[in-house]
mmCIF file of all heavy atoms in Angstrom:
data_model
loop_
_atom_site.group_PDB
_atom_site.id
_atom_site.type_symbol
_atom_site.label_atom_id
_atom_site.label_comp_id
_atom_site.label_asym_id
_atom_site.label_seq_id
_atom_site.Cartn_x
_atom_site.Cartn_y
_atom_site.Cartn_z
ATOM 1 N N PHE A 1 -3.905 -2.927 -6.963
ATOM 2 C CA PHE A 1 -4.818 -3.577 -7.891
ATOM 3 C C PHE A 1 -4.742 -3.000 -9.297
ATOM 4 O O PHE A 1 -4.969 -3.705 -10.265
ATOM 5 C CB PHE A 1 -6.265 -3.481 -7.383
ATOM 6 C CG PHE A 1 -6.510 -4.274 -6.134
ATOM 7 C CD1 PHE A 1 -7.103 -3.679 -5.044
ATOM 8 C CD2 PHE A 1 -6.162 -5.600 -6.052
ATOM 9 C CE1 PHE A 1 -7.357 -4.408 -3.885
ATOM 10 C CE2 PHE A 1 -6.392 -6.337 -4.895
ATOM 11 C CZ PHE A 1 -6.996 -5.737 -3.810
ATOM 12 N N GLU A 2 -4.447 -1.710 -9.395
ATOM 13 C CA GLU A 2 -4.399 -1.104 -10.725
ATOM 14 C C GLU A 2 -3.396 0.032 -10.751
ATOM 15 O O GLU A 2 -3.194 0.727 -9.755
ATOM 16 C CB GLU A 2 -5.778 -0.571 -11.130
ATOM 17 C CG GLU A 2 -5.809 -0.106 -12.555
ATOM 18 C CD GLU A 2 -7.204 -0.042 -13.132
ATOM 19 O OE1 GLU A 2 -8.155 0.253 -12.393
ATOM 20 O OE2 GLU A 2 -7.331 -0.279 -14.344
ATOM 21 N N ALA A 3 -2.763 0.191 -11.914
ATOM 22 C CA ALA A 3 -1.844 1.306 -12.162
ATOM 23 C C ALA A 3 -2.148 1.823 -13.566
ATOM 24 O O ALA A 3 -2.216 1.035 -14.513
ATOM 25 C CB ALA A 3 -0.394 0.846 -12.066
ATOM 26 N N VAL A 4 -2.353 3.152 -13.679
ATOM 27 C CA VAL A 4 -2.737 3.734 -14.969
ATOM 28 C C VAL A 4 -1.929 4.996 -15.255
ATOM 29 O O VAL A 4 -1.522 5.706 -14.347
ATOM 30 C CB VAL A 4 -4.248 4.071 -15.024
ATOM 31 C CG1 VAL A 4 -5.090 2.811 -14.909
ATOM 32 C CG2 VAL A 4 -4.636 5.074 -13.959
ATOM 33 N N PHE A 5 -1.731 5.252 -16.541
ATOM 34 C CA PHE A 5 -1.084 6.473 -17.000
ATOM 35 C C PHE A 5 -2.088 7.613 -17.065
ATOM 36 O O PHE A 5 -3.252 7.395 -17.435
ATOM 37 C CB PHE A 5 -0.553 6.299 -18.434
ATOM 38 C CG PHE A 5 0.620 5.389 -18.578
ATOM 39 C CD1 PHE A 5 0.455 4.095 -19.025
ATOM 40 C CD2 PHE A 5 1.902 5.842 -18.317
ATOM 41 C CE1 PHE A 5 1.544 3.255 -19.202
ATOM 42 C CE2 PHE A 5 2.999 5.014 -18.494
ATOM 43 C CZ PHE A 5 2.824 3.714 -18.930
ATOM 44 N N SER A 6 -1.640 8.836 -16.778
ATOM 45 C CA SER A 6 -2.433 10.024 -17.091
ATOM 46 C C SER A 6 -2.401 10.193 -18.607
ATOM 47 O O SER A 6 -1.531 9.633 -19.284
ATOM 48 C CB SER A 6 -1.855 11.262 -16.402
ATOM 49 O OG SER A 6 -0.554 11.547 -16.879
ATOM 50 N N PRO A 7 -3.336 10.954 -19.178
ATOM 51 C CA PRO A 7 -3.347 11.126 -20.636
ATOM 52 C C PRO A 7 -2.028 11.659 -21.213
ATOM 53 O O PRO A 7 -1.629 11.259 -22.304
ATOM 54 C CB PRO A 7 -4.501 12.097 -20.882
ATOM 55 C CG PRO A 7 -5.426 11.861 -19.728
ATOM 56 C CD PRO A 7 -4.508 11.582 -18.554
ATOM 57 N N ASP A 8 -1.345 12.534 -20.487
ATOM 58 C CA ASP A 8 -0.053 13.054 -20.977
ATOM 59 C C ASP A 8 1.118 12.164 -20.561
ATOM 60 O O ASP A 8 2.268 12.442 -20.896
ATOM 61 C CB ASP A 8 0.182 14.490 -20.506
ATOM 62 C CG ASP A 8 0.301 14.632 -18.993
ATOM 63 O OD1 ASP A 8 0.329 13.612 -18.270
ATOM 64 O OD2 ASP A 8 0.355 15.786 -18.536
ATOM 65 N N GLU A 9 0.838 11.101 -19.825
ATOM 66 C CA GLU A 9 1.801 10.106 -19.354
ATOM 67 C C GLU A 9 2.885 10.683 -18.441
ATOM 68 O O GLU A 9 3.923 10.074 -18.242
ATOM 69 C CB GLU A 9 2.409 9.321 -20.522
ATOM 70 C CG GLU A 9 1.354 8.536 -21.258
ATOM 71 C CD GLU A 9 1.882 7.629 -22.347
ATOM 72 O OE1 GLU A 9 3.089 7.674 -22.652
ATOM 73 O OE2 GLU A 9 1.079 6.862 -22.889
ATOM 74 N N LYS A 10 2.607 11.827 -17.833
ATOM 75 C CA LYS A 10 3.548 12.428 -16.887
ATOM 76 C C LYS A 10 3.290 11.975 -15.453
ATOM 77 O O LYS A 10 4.133 12.124 -14.584
ATOM 78 C CB LYS A 10 3.498 13.946 -16.970
ATOM 79 C CG LYS A 10 4.025 14.469 -18.295
ATOM 80 C CD LYS A 10 4.003 15.966 -18.341
ATOM 81 C CE LYS A 10 4.574 16.445 -19.669
ATOM 82 N NZ LYS A 10 4.540 17.895 -19.778
ATOM 83 N N ARG A 11 2.103 11.433 -15.219
ATOM 84 C CA ARG A 11 1.727 10.953 -13.896
ATOM 85 C C ARG A 11 1.176 9.544 -14.002
ATOM 86 O O ARG A 11 0.702 9.120 -15.052
ATOM 87 C CB ARG A 11 0.667 11.862 -13.264
ATOM 88 C CG ARG A 11 1.201 13.230 -12.915
ATOM 89 C CD ARG A 11 0.088 14.190 -12.570
ATOM 90 N NE ARG A 11 -0.646 14.481 -13.806
ATOM 91 C CZ ARG A 11 -1.954 14.688 -13.874
ATOM 92 N NH1 ARG A 11 -2.688 14.666 -12.794
ATOM 93 N NH2 ARG A 11 -2.541 14.948 -15.025
ATOM 94 N N ILE A 12 1.247 8.856 -12.895
ATOM 95 C CA ILE A 12 0.685 7.519 -12.779
ATOM 96 C C ILE A 12 -0.178 7.517 -11.531
ATOM 97 O O ILE A 12 0.186 8.105 -10.505
ATOM 98 C CB ILE A 12 1.807 6.465 -12.695
ATOM 99 C CG1 ILE A 12 2.468 6.346 -14.077
ATOM 100 C CG2 ILE A 12 1.293 5.123 -12.198
ATOM 101 C CD1 ILE A 12 3.754 5.591 -14.095
ATOM 102 N N ALA A 13 -1.329 6.862 -11.613
ATOM 103 C CA ALA A 13 -2.192 6.678 -10.450
ATOM 104 C C ALA A 13 -2.243 5.189 -10.132
ATOM 105 O O ALA A 13 -2.307 4.353 -11.038
ATOM 106 C CB ALA A 13 -3.593 7.215 -10.721
ATOM 107 N N THR A 14 -2.204 4.874 -8.836
ATOM 108 C CA THR A 14 -2.315 3.492 -8.396
ATOM 109 C C THR A 14 -3.463 3.358 -7.402
ATOM 110 O O THR A 14 -3.694 4.247 -6.580
ATOM 111 C CB THR A 14 -1.002 3.001 -7.742
ATOM 112 O OG1 THR A 14 -0.614 3.902 -6.703
ATOM 113 C CG2 THR A 14 0.114 2.889 -8.768
ATOM 114 N N ALA A 15 -4.192 2.247 -7.482
ATOM 115 C CA ALA A 15 -5.302 1.934 -6.584
ATOM 116 C C ALA A 15 -4.909 0.717 -5.765
ATOM 117 O O ALA A 15 -4.375 -0.252 -6.306
ATOM 118 C CB ALA A 15 -6.564 1.639 -7.395
ATOM 119 N N SER A 16 -5.193 0.777 -4.448
ATOM 120 C CA SER A 16 -4.649 -0.263 -3.572
ATOM 121 C C SER A 16 -5.643 -0.811 -2.563
ATOM 122 O O SER A 16 -6.614 -0.157 -2.179
ATOM 123 C CB SER A 16 -3.442 0.308 -2.823
ATOM 124 O OG SER A 16 -2.943 -0.605 -1.877
ATOM 125 N N ASN A 17 -5.300 -1.998 -2.097
ATOM 126 C CA ASN A 17 -6.011 -2.646 -1.004
ATOM 127 C C ASN A 17 -5.813 -1.906 0.323
ATOM 128 O O ASN A 17 -6.506 -2.172 1.291
ATOM 129 C CB ASN A 17 -5.512 -4.096 -0.886
ATOM 130 C CG ASN A 17 -6.369 -4.952 0.002
ATOM 131 O OD1 ASN A 17 -7.493 -4.602 0.348
ATOM 132 N ND2 ASN A 17 -5.852 -6.095 0.390
ATOM 133 N N ASP A 18 -4.886 -0.946 0.373
ATOM 134 C CA ASP A 18 -4.682 -0.158 1.597
ATOM 135 C C ASP A 18 -5.663 1.007 1.713
ATOM 136 O O ASP A 18 -5.505 1.875 2.556
ATOM 137 C CB ASP A 18 -3.231 0.317 1.723
ATOM 138 C CG ASP A 18 -2.815 1.340 0.670
ATOM 139 O OD1 ASP A 18 -3.676 1.841 -0.090
ATOM 140 O OD2 ASP A 18 -1.601 1.638 0.606
ATOM 141 N N HIS A 19 -6.687 1.033 0.839
ATOM 142 C CA HIS A 19 -7.793 2.009 0.847
ATOM 143 C C HIS A 19 -7.379 3.355 0.249
ATOM 144 O O HIS A 19 -8.104 4.337 0.423
ATOM 145 C CB HIS A 19 -8.365 2.241 2.248
ATOM 146 C CG HIS A 19 -8.748 1.004 2.990
ATOM 147 N ND1 HIS A 19 -9.359 1.049 4.211
ATOM 148 C CD2 HIS A 19 -8.615 -0.313 2.703
ATOM 149 C CE1 HIS A 19 -9.584 -0.178 4.650
ATOM 150 N NE2 HIS A 19 -9.132 -1.015 3.732
ATOM 151 N N THR A 20 -6.237 3.429 -0.425
ATOM 152 C CA THR A 20 -5.762 4.703 -0.960
ATOM 153 C C THR A 20 -5.518 4.642 -2.465
ATOM 154 O O THR A 20 -5.418 3.573 -3.063
ATOM 155 C CB THR A 20 -4.434 5.146 -0.297
ATOM 156 O OG1 THR A 20 -3.382 4.272 -0.718
ATOM 157 C CG2 THR A 20 -4.530 5.175 1.217
ATOM 158 N N ILE A 21 -5.414 5.839 -3.022
ATOM 159 C CA ILE A 21 -4.947 6.056 -4.389
ATOM 160 C C ILE A 21 -3.699 6.922 -4.245
ATOM 161 O O ILE A 21 -3.688 7.866 -3.458
ATOM 162 C CB ILE A 21 -5.992 6.804 -5.238
ATOM 163 C CG1 ILE A 21 -7.278 5.984 -5.338
ATOM 164 C CG2 ILE A 21 -5.445 7.132 -6.619
ATOM 165 C CD1 ILE A 21 -8.461 6.767 -4.926
ATOM 166 N N LYS A 22 -2.676 6.576 -4.982
ATOM 167 C CA LYS A 22 -1.470 7.404 -4.963
ATOM 168 C C LYS A 22 -1.203 7.928 -6.368
ATOM 169 O O LYS A 22 -1.435 7.233 -7.351
ATOM 170 C CB LYS A 22 -0.253 6.614 -4.466
ATOM 171 C CG LYS A 22 -0.340 6.284 -2.985
ATOM 172 C CD LYS A 22 0.938 5.650 -2.473
ATOM 173 C CE LYS A 22 0.827 5.304 -1.004
ATOM 174 N NZ LYS A 22 0.964 6.439 -0.108
ATOM 175 N N LEU A 23 -0.735 9.184 -6.417
ATOM 176 C CA LEU A 23 -0.274 9.785 -7.662
ATOM 177 C C LEU A 23 1.239 9.840 -7.622
ATOM 178 O O LEU A 23 1.828 10.188 -6.598
ATOM 179 C CB LEU A 23 -0.831 11.202 -7.811
ATOM 180 C CG LEU A 23 -2.281 11.333 -8.207
ATOM 181 C CD1 LEU A 23 -2.672 12.805 -8.259
ATOM 182 C CD2 LEU A 23 -2.550 10.688 -9.539
ATOM 183 N N TRP A 24 1.857 9.535 -8.766
ATOM 184 C CA TRP A 24 3.310 9.438 -8.874
ATOM 185 C C TRP A 24 3.801 10.228 -10.070
ATOM 186 O O TRP A 24 3.101 10.338 -11.081
ATOM 187 C CB TRP A 24 3.731 7.989 -9.087
ATOM 188 C CG TRP A 24 3.157 7.008 -8.124
ATOM 189 C CD1 TRP A 24 1.945 6.385 -8.206
ATOM 190 C CD2 TRP A 24 3.781 6.510 -6.940
ATOM 191 N NE1 TRP A 24 1.773 5.534 -7.145
ATOM 192 C CE2 TRP A 24 2.883 5.583 -6.350
ATOM 193 C CE3 TRP A 24 5.002 6.750 -6.316
ATOM 194 C CZ2 TRP A 24 3.173 4.908 -5.175
ATOM 195 C CZ3 TRP A 24 5.294 6.069 -5.156
ATOM 196 C CH2 TRP A 24 4.389 5.156 -4.587
ATOM 197 N N ASN A 25 5.023 10.711 -9.982
ATOM 198 C CA ASN A 25 5.707 11.290 -11.134
ATOM 199 C C ASN A 25 6.190 10.121 -11.987
ATOM 200 O O ASN A 25 6.950 9.270 -11.507
ATOM 201 C CB ASN A 25 6.879 12.156 -10.671
ATOM 202 C CG ASN A 25 7.620 12.798 -11.815
ATOM 203 O OD1 ASN A 25 8.055 12.138 -12.752
ATOM 204 N ND2 ASN A 25 7.782 14.106 -11.733
ATOM 205 N N ALA A 26 5.767 10.061 -13.243
ATOM 206 C CA ALA A 26 6.080 8.931 -14.115
ATOM 207 C C ALA A 26 7.521 8.929 -14.604
ATOM 208 O O ALA A 26 7.989 7.920 -15.121
ATOM 209 C CB ALA A 26 5.134 8.909 -15.307
ATOM 210 N N GLU A 27 8.223 10.040 -14.434
ATOM 211 C CA GLU A 27 9.614 10.099 -14.885
ATOM 212 C C GLU A 27 10.601 9.808 -13.750
ATOM 213 O O GLU A 27 11.668 9.254 -13.995
ATOM 214 C CB GLU A 27 9.905 11.460 -15.497
ATOM 215 C CG GLU A 27 9.121 11.684 -16.780
ATOM 216 C CD GLU A 27 9.332 13.064 -17.378
ATOM 217 O OE1 GLU A 27 10.264 13.772 -16.959
ATOM 218 O OE2 GLU A 27 8.547 13.424 -18.255
ATOM 219 N N THR A 28 10.241 10.176 -12.517
ATOM 220 C CA THR A 28 11.168 10.008 -11.391
ATOM 221 C C THR A 28 10.735 8.923 -10.415
ATOM 222 O O THR A 28 11.552 8.456 -9.622
ATOM 223 C CB THR A 28 11.298 11.321 -10.603
ATOM 224 O OG1 THR A 28 10.035 11.604 -9.966
ATOM 225 C CG2 THR A 28 11.725 12.473 -11.496
ATOM 226 N N GLY A 29 9.455 8.560 -10.433
ATOM 227 C CA GLY A 29 8.929 7.599 -9.472
ATOM 228 C C GLY A 29 8.560 8.211 -8.143
ATOM 229 O O GLY A 29 8.106 7.515 -7.231
ATOM 230 N N GLN A 30 8.714 9.522 -8.006
ATOM 231 C CA GLN A 30 8.405 10.206 -6.755
ATOM 232 C C GLN A 30 6.907 10.208 -6.495
ATOM 233 O O GLN A 30 6.109 10.500 -7.390
ATOM 234 C CB GLN A 30 8.916 11.641 -6.799
ATOM 235 C CG GLN A 30 8.570 12.443 -5.567
ATOM 236 C CD GLN A 30 8.971 13.907 -5.688
ATOM 237 O OE1 GLN A 30 9.462 14.350 -6.713
ATOM 238 N NE2 GLN A 30 8.749 14.655 -4.630
ATOM 239 N N GLU A 31 6.536 9.909 -5.252
ATOM 240 C CA GLU A 31 5.130 9.994 -4.857
ATOM 241 C C GLU A 31 4.742 11.454 -4.758
ATOM 242 O O GLU A 31 5.413 12.244 -4.098
ATOM 243 C CB GLU A 31 4.923 9.293 -3.521
ATOM 244 C CG GLU A 31 3.479 9.263 -3.089
ATOM 245 C CD GLU A 31 3.292 8.578 -1.747
ATOM 246 O OE1 GLU A 31 4.022 7.623 -1.437
ATOM 247 O OE2 GLU A 31 2.400 9.032 -1.004
ATOM 248 N N LEU A 32 3.642 11.838 -5.418
ATOM 249 C CA LEU A 32 3.175 13.217 -5.428
ATOM 250 C C LEU A 32 2.069 13.463 -4.408
ATOM 251 O O LEU A 32 2.000 14.542 -3.824
ATOM 252 C CB LEU A 32 2.662 13.585 -6.823
ATOM 253 C CG LEU A 32 3.651 13.436 -7.974
ATOM 254 C CD1 LEU A 32 2.950 13.649 -9.306
ATOM 255 C CD2 LEU A 32 4.806 14.401 -7.788
ATOM 256 N N LEU A 33 1.205 12.474 -4.209
ATOM 257 C CA LEU A 33 0.008 12.699 -3.401
ATOM 258 C C LEU A 33 -0.631 11.367 -3.052
ATOM 259 O O LEU A 33 -0.618 10.438 -3.856
ATOM 260 C CB LEU A 33 -0.980 13.534 -4.220
ATOM 261 C CG LEU A 33 -2.285 13.981 -3.607
ATOM 262 C CD1 LEU A 33 -2.037 14.936 -2.447
ATOM 263 C CD2 LEU A 33 -3.137 14.668 -4.656
ATOM 264 N N THR A 34 -1.179 11.287 -1.852
ATOM 265 C CA THR A 34 -1.988 10.138 -1.452
ATOM 266 C C THR A 34 -3.408 10.620 -1.220
ATOM 267 O O THR A 34 -3.620 11.583 -0.485
ATOM 268 C CB THR A 34 -1.445 9.484 -0.169
ATOM 269 O OG1 THR A 34 -0.116 9.023 -0.411
ATOM 270 C CG2 THR A 34 -2.307 8.306 0.258
ATOM 271 N N LEU A 35 -4.359 9.957 -1.854
ATOM 272 C CA LEU A 35 -5.777 10.290 -1.712
ATOM 273 C C LEU A 35 -6.411 9.249 -0.793
ATOM 274 O O LEU A 35 -6.386 8.059 -1.090
ATOM 275 C CB LEU A 35 -6.464 10.300 -3.075
ATOM 276 C CG LEU A 35 -5.877 11.287 -4.084
ATOM 277 C CD1 LEU A 35 -6.456 11.061 -5.463
ATOM 278 C CD2 LEU A 35 -6.113 12.716 -3.626
ATOM 279 N N GLU A 36 -6.962 9.746 0.321
ATOM 280 C CA GLU A 36 -7.540 8.864 1.326
ATOM 281 C C GLU A 36 -8.964 9.300 1.627
ATOM 282 O O GLU A 36 -9.176 10.410 2.080
ATOM 283 C CB GLU A 36 -6.723 8.933 2.617
ATOM 284 C CG GLU A 36 -5.271 8.565 2.453
ATOM 285 C CD GLU A 36 -4.468 8.813 3.712
ATOM 286 O OE1 GLU A 36 -4.434 9.976 4.161
ATOM 287 O OE2 GLU A 36 -3.892 7.856 4.228
ATOM 288 N N ASP A 37 -9.901 8.465 1.369
ATOM 289 C CA ASP A 37 -11.285 8.715 1.766
ATOM 290 C C ASP A 37 -12.089 7.431 1.678
ATOM 291 O O ASP A 37 -13.091 7.297 2.352
ATOM 292 C CB ASP A 37 -11.927 9.807 0.917
ATOM 293 C CG ASP A 37 -13.208 10.342 1.550
ATOM 294 O OD1 ASP A 37 -13.272 10.417 2.789
ATOM 295 O OD2 ASP A 37 -14.144 10.657 0.810
ATOM 296 N N HIS A 38 -11.641 6.489 0.855
ATOM 297 C CA HIS A 38 -12.351 5.217 0.784
ATOM 298 C C HIS A 38 -12.197 4.468 2.105
ATOM 299 O O HIS A 38 -11.181 4.588 2.781
ATOM 300 C CB HIS A 38 -11.812 4.365 -0.372
ATOM 301 C CG HIS A 38 -12.291 4.808 -1.714
ATOM 302 N ND1 HIS A 38 -13.607 4.720 -2.104
ATOM 303 C CD2 HIS A 38 -11.619 5.352 -2.762
ATOM 304 C CE1 HIS A 38 -13.731 5.184 -3.334
ATOM 305 N NE2 HIS A 38 -12.539 5.581 -3.759
#
């Protein structure tokens, strides 16, 4: 549903219908972390 830049634009956060938020490396596309609690 949403994808946003971190203030330094080194990370990206995504919000999803799968009930999670994911953090990504904005330069490589590598997934850094999945946040699950919703």
